[in-house]
Amino acid sequence: MEKIYKLPPRAAGWRRNLVFADQHLLHPRVPTAHLTNTTQDRIIEAGELATIWIAGDLWDDSKYLRTEDSKVAMGFLVWLLTYCKAYGIALRVVEGTPSHDHGQSAILLELNKNIGADVLYLPKIGVMYDAALGGVVGWVQDEFMTDASETERMMNELMISNGYDKLDFCFMHGMFKFQSPVENPRYFSMDFWLARVRHLIYIG
């Protein structure tokens, strides 16, 4: 996460939201303490927030859960939940790439039982009205289907069945076709998503 501050002052009535992805906690070559300390600093520097969205790959893998880094990672998650509770920040965590995220982030729900923050763990794909963000939100897990066009068809059906012709925001993990010189059926069509999202698409 690059340091992009100083942030402009918030206009009256506006909400500030922080979105990031690809923390890769427990990465074998990047110290977890570095990742967590840097992230904590950025969250604090961001100031007054309405929501924090982690758009996939919070974890690198789970095979390192017996290491010292796992204690650092769990300490960070407890800090994050406690910080969100203390400052009234809603925390949303989207599942990422299956080779990295494979359900580990559900631990946030267990850790939160004694903290009581507003937290949602969002696997697969879905749509909802999020009062914390003040809009209709969609989310998409990376590689949810082998073919991204099938994921897009399912999102279209979800929107119709829930009565949404547009999403206000969409948080995704994966890639758009234009981001890679290589053709891959897992890459998303930007035209599909631009036609269905009013304000912001974040793709981690």
Side-chain angles (χ1 to χ4, degrees):
M1 293 170 53
E2 294 181 12
K3 192 160 185 174
I4 56 171
Y5 307 105
K6 301 180 175 179
L7 289 170
R10 287 192 318 145
W14 283 59
R15 299 169 166 286
R16 177 170 286 152
N17 304 284
L18 179 65
V19 188
F20 57 88
D22 295 288
Q23 292 308 100
H24 290 276
L25 299 176
L26 309 185
H27 193 285
R29 293 185 306 276
V30 181
T32 296
H34 171 73
L35 296 170
T36 58
N37 290 339
T38 302
T39 304
Q40 283 177 297
D41 290 347
R42 298 304 175 260
I43 290 170
I44 292 167
E45 287 174 8
E48 188 180 345
L49 295 169
T51 68
I52 296 173
W53 280 80
I54 303 174
D57 286 6
L58 175 60
W59 302 90
D60 189 69
D61 205 339
S62 59
K63 63 189 176 200
Y64 303 104
L65 283 174
R66 289 172 287 182
T67 67
E68 186 64 30
D69 276 353
S70 67
K71 297 171 190 171
V72 174
M74 291 303 161
F76 166 69
L77 296 181
V78 170
W79 173 87
L80 180 60
L81 290 165
T82 305
Y83 186 88
C84 288
K85 173 66 175 176
Y87 292 96
I89 301 167
L91 177 63
R92 310 291 184 245
V93 182
V94 176
E95 184 80 353
T97 309
S99 59
H100 300 299
D101 276 353
H102 32 87
Q104 305 97 306
S105 293
I107 192 69
L108 284 159
L109 303 179
E110 197 64 33
L111 294 172
N112 192 47
K113 284 182 178 176
N114 293 319
I115 297 171
D118 177 1
V119 59
L120 294 175
Y121 163 60
L122 304 169
K124 303 180 181 179
I125 65 171
V127 295
M128 67 177 181
Y129 178 80
D130 190 351
L133 198 53
V136 177
V137 175
W139 69 91
V140 182
Q141 173 183 329
D142 189 20
E143 299 179 18
F144 175 61
M145 301 294 285
T146 305
D147 191 322
S149 64
E150 183 64 14
T151 303
E152 290 165 349
R153 182 191 64 75
M154 292 176 74
M155 177 57 78
N156 197 54
E157 289 178 2
L158 274 173
M159 290 175 64
I160 291 168
S161 64
N162 284 277
Y164 302 132
D165 62 332
K166 291 263 190 182
L167 304 172
D168 293 305
F169 307 95
C170 191
F171 300 93
M172 308 168 68
H173 202 83
M175 290 182 73
F176 286 123
K177 291 176 183 176
F178 79 88
Q179 293 176 293
S180 173
V182 180
E183 281 289 321
N184 190 316
R186 289 183 173 147
Y187 298 163
F188 298 107
S189 162
M190 193 173 69
D191 291 339
F192 174 90
W193 297 97
L194 285 176
R196 286 164 179 81
V197 180
R198 285 190 186 92
H199 302 308
L200 172 74
I201 300 169
Y202 181 94
I203 186 162

